[in-house]
Amino acid sequence: MKHVKTLNKTNLKKTAAKGGCSECQTSCQSACKTSCTVANQKCEK
Amino acid sequence: MIHKYSLNGFNIVLDICSGAVHVMDELGYELVDYTSADMPEKCPDEAYNALNKFSKEEIDETYSELYELVKEGLLHTPDDYDQFKGKMAPAPIKAMCLHIAHDCNLRCDYCFAAKGDFGHGRKLMSYEVGKKAIDFLLDNSGSRTNLEVDFFGGEPLMNFDVVKQLVAYARSREKEYNKNFRFTVTTNGLLLDDDIMDFINKEMSNVVLSIDGRKEINDALRVSPNGKGCYDIIVPKFKEMVKRRNGEQYYVRGTFTRKNPDFYEDVMHLYDLGFDQISIEPVVSDPQISYSLTEEDAERVGQEYEKLAKKIIEMKKAGESINFFHFMLDLDQGPCAIKRLRGCSCGNEYVSVTPEGDIYPCHQFVGIDGFKMGNIDDGKIDNELKAEFSKANIFNKEHCRDCWARFYCSGGCNANSQQYAGGIFNKHEVSCLLEQKRLECAIMIKAALAEDEE
Ligand code: SF4
Ligand code: SF4
Ligand code: SF4
């Protein structure tokens, strides 16, 4: 494409079907303890 | 639904529900306003009229690119996540914050633990209480394998023998229960010695080292009971600690307040000291207090985030790296949508236990009236309150339902909302403004680095 550059082609919705196992870290445990930032957590699968 | 913004010369269009991120030229960025999920194959006349500074050919070409993205499910993806609402239910408890010491050897002014004791007097957790808490976690974790335990305070190193015993106890039960414990500790560093460092490095998957940045900033608020700043004592210890961990799995973590809106300098100071895993975060405090950040400060703080983002790009391009916690973002392999919808899970999958054995939804709820969920002594927990917390997700927070950042922020901090906005389902405006700004910066960094890859 000439006018658009797409950085990622993953589709979030597809991750919903198999997701939700809760084996990953809860967000407040990684560093902050004062705010919720989920997107920077790692998936364990 | 999309979110578009221009930052640092990049025109960015985020397709909210698929998570796709597009960087567009000026034409694409303007033309996208004339597109939608059910856009016709042919560009509408109003677009030609409005964008008449571009040629018809260019517009057609761009329009068909956008059309293709819609067809591919990467633009204007409809929000049909309601089907996953059922997954936002009470769940096993798999993470626990152990308040190993409600006591502290510092008296940091902004501490939400009310100077270390959470407002309920100084107290250390006994081994018996800690052991019962571990048992409680084992018994309530259902089929979850990975169990996280944070040693928190106050200052957990003031009760480190109990920490050691509890780690040993938890490890001794892992096999039988088929669990994998992951420990973390948050410390102000004063008591770090060889022995403690080695233990932490052997047993803990992450360590959070508290320091605010420049000496004068750190020492203004992070002070000992006699008012003396702690910078000179902790810096050498933190350096040694990180060296012994091979520079991995740690964060130096600080707080900025209204008094240092130039926290960029603090991040860079920490970097200059040799730390590259850095988390510097906005203070959350009563708006009446002089150093509290309010909505008025959001713009100034936003500029500082931008400055930092630009610096990080420059550094990455030069082969240096700095991992700023709040800019961490993996556009390809972040957490699943369910986790993003659920949010922080406090009071549902995550709880805090005080030295008295009282159970609270999380460390920031400790001591707040009406939020005690039970006590590990009888192991009973208020399931109504747990169910209430399981509802604290973006479906039930009015302000989050349509927020473009909902799949990244996941609904914000319930404790902040409770304390400063009057309820866990309410909006804490300044937190949202800052969160959105951080995300815009984080995505922009990706755009800038992708450009360089070409
Ligand atoms: S481990 Fe992965 S799939 Fe499981 S809840 Fe976490 S992000 Fe979702
Ligand atoms: S930024 Fe605010 S409105 Fe948006 S998801 Fe987070 S808490 Fe909700
Ligand atoms: S309510 Fe706030 S402090 Fe508590 S776990 Fe959630 S994000 Fe963290």
Side-chain angles (χ1 to χ4, degrees):
Chain A
M1 288 195 184
K2 243 175 90 182
H3 303 272
V4 181
K5 179 174 163 171
T6 301
L7 299 185
N8 59 337
K9 292 212 170 177
T10 45
N11 190 332
L12 250 185
K13 208 179 294 168
K14 286 197 192 126
T15 67
K18 282 195 204 140
C21 70
S22 284
E23 290 292 354
C24 50
Q25 244 185 358
T26 49
S27 72
C28 240
Q29 278 176 309
S30 37
C32 56
K33 293 274 184 192
T34 58
S35 68
C36 179
T37 313
V38 168
N40 61 6
Q41 306 295 311
K42 278 201 191 84
C43 177
E44 298 276 336
K45 278 194 170 169
Chain B
M1 278 196 275
I2 60 169
H3 172 64
K4 59 177 243 180
Y5 64 99
S6 278
L7 185 58
N8 194 21
F10 297 94
N11 299 319
I12 295 171
V13 176
L14 167 71
D15 183 38
I16 299 167
C17 293
S18 71
V21 176
H22 311 286
V23 184
M24 302 196 180
D25 64 7
E26 192 193 340
L27 171 51
Y29 191 66
E30 289 186 28
L31 190 60
V32 77
D33 293 342
Y34 298 88
T35 63
S36 62
D38 51 4
M39 65 198 272
E41 205 171 338
K42 224 191 120 317
C43 182
D45 286 341
E46 44 167 357
Y48 293 120
N49 296 336
L51 302 176
N52 57 17
K53 62 181 160 177
F54 301 99
S55 73
K56 182 172 181 305
E57 291 71 43
E58 277 182 305
I59 295 178
D60 285 339
E61 185 180 60
T62 313
Y63 189 84
S64 63
E65 289 184 11
L66 297 175
Y67 183 79
E68 210 178 296
L69 290 176
V70 172
K71 293 291 151 213
E72 277 185 69
L74 297 170
L75 193 62
H76 297 301
T77 303
D79 186 346
D80 53 6
Y81 283 93
D82 267 10
Q83 55 182 304
F84 302 114
K85 251 184 165 171
K87 294 209 178 197
M88 310 297 125
I93 297 170
K94 40 89 58 168
M96 182 178 267
C97 181
L98 279 184
H99 294 239
I100 210 75
H102 273 186
D103 195 358
C104 194
N105 40 13
L106 288 181
R107 297 288 182 272
C108 308
D109 210 64
Y110 47 58
C111 183
F112 65 76
K115 313 275 189 300
D117 70 353
F118 285 79
H120 284 247
R122 308 193 171 273
K123 202 163 178 205
L124 303 181
M125 181 179 280
S126 68
Y127 173 63
E128 286 66 37
V129 166
K131 184 167 166 283
K132 276 191 182 161
I134 301 276
D135 288 337
F136 175 84
L137 181 58
L138 286 166
D139 291 335
N140 287 280
S141 55
S143 61
R144 306 291 189 250
T145 317
N146 294 326
L147 304 184
E148 294 139 30
V149 176
D150 290 0
F151 294 106
F152 200 63
E155 172 50 39
L157 266 45
M158 292 180 80
N159 196 13
F160 203 69
D161 283 340
V162 170
V163 171
K164 283 181 171 169
Q165 288 168 15
L166 289 175
V167 168
Y169 176 68
R171 292 267 185 251
S172 77
R173 311 296 303 262
E174 274 181 325
K175 264 219 181 86
E176 150 199 3
Y177 278 86
N178 188 28
K179 304 288 181 186
N180 171 35
F181 276 101
R182 288 181 193 159
F183 301 105
T184 66
V185 63
T186 301
T187 178
N188 65 26
L190 288 181
L191 295 176
L192 277 177
D193 61 20
D194 283 357
D195 181 49
I196 294 177
M197 284 192 222
D198 289 343
F199 185 84
I200 289 175
N201 289 344
K202 183 164 157 266
E203 293 289 355
M204 313 256 171
S205 59
N206 194 18
V207 52
V208 180
L209 308 168
S210 303
I211 176 171
D212 284 348
R214 291 164 291 177
K215 180 172 158 76
E216 63 274 22
I217 299 298
N218 184 82
D219 286 356
L221 292 172
R222 303 192 64 80
V223 295
S224 63
N226 66 21
K228 207 168 166 299
C230 66
Y231 181 96
D232 290 333
I233 304 173
I234 60 175
V235 167
K237 295 193 187 217
F238 287 171
K239 282 185 174 174
E240 179 61 25
M241 177 87 210
V242 169
K243 193 172 123 203
R244 291 190 192 193
R245 284 179 90 77
N246 300 321
E248 285 162 13
Q249 306 293 329
Y250 78 93
Y251 276 102
V252 285
R253 194 266 188 236
T255 301
F256 68 87
T257 71
R258 185 174 220 179
K259 300 211 158 134
N260 60 323
D262 59 342
F263 61 91
Y264 165 91
E265 302 297 339
D266 296 292
V267 175
M268 293 319 295
H269 178 77
L270 292 170
Y271 182 75
D272 292 338
L273 287 175
F275 304 112
D276 60 3
Q277 308 290 313
I278 300 172
S279 180
I280 293 284
E281 306 184 21
V283 70
V284 194
S285 49
D286 188 328
Q288 302 304 321
I289 300 173
S290 65
Y291 55 71
S292 289
L293 294 162
T294 65
E295 285 157 55
E296 286 155 34
D297 303 303
E299 199 175 316
R300 172 71 186 86
V301 170
Q303 288 164 2
E304 203 70 6
Y305 278 130
E306 277 182 36
K307 185 174 173 187
L308 181 60
K310 288 177 191 166
K311 177 71 180 176
I312 288 174
I313 295 166
E314 191 189 304
M315 289 172 69
K316 287 238 158 106
K317 287 186 174 180
E320 287 174 271
S321 134
I322 188 167
N323 187 19
F324 185 66
F325 180 74
H326 269 143
F327 287 168
M328 271 166 69
L329 187 63
D330 184 339
L331 290 178
D332 293 307
Q333 278 173 328
C336 69
I338 303 298
K339 179 166 174 102
R340 292 170 191 246
L341 292 165
R342 268 190 198 144
C344 75
S345 286
C346 85
N348 185 24
E349 298 181 283
Y350 171 57
V351 294
S352 267
V353 177
T354 69
E356 296 84 5
D358 290 338
I359 304 169
Y360 283 92
C362 84
H363 51 287
Q364 286 213 53
F365 278 100
V366 167
I368 304 182
D369 277 348
F371 287 94
K372 185 173 148 182
M373 301 180 83
N375 187 287
I376 45 97
D377 201 43
D378 60 9
K380 290 203 189 90
I381 188 158
D382 181 343
N383 279 315
E384 247 171 73
L385 197 52
K386 189 167 187 287
E388 182 75 358
F389 271 94
S390 75
K391 290 191 200 128
N393 56 60
I394 63 164
F395 293 113
N396 297 314
K397 295 182 183 180
E398 215 47 61
H399 53 287
C400 302
R401 278 205 75 108
D402 297 318
C403 171
W404 68 267
R406 63 187 180 277
F407 288 105
Y408 304 85
C409 156
S410 307
C413 170
N414 296 322
N416 292 348
S417 295
Q418 176 63 39
Q419 284 176 284
Y420 306 115
I424 62 173
F425 295 97
N426 298 349
K427 183 175 191 181
H428 185 235
E429 191 73 41
V430 62
S431 293
C432 294
L433 292 171
L434 298 185
E435 173 70 16
Q436 290 168 351
K437 187 70 197 184
R438 288 193 292 260
L439 280 167
E440 289 191 341
C441 287
I443 294 172
M444 185 276 288
I445 293 174
K446 297 285 177 199
L449 297 175
E451 179 192 53
D452 215 39
E453 276 165 19
E454 281 179 352

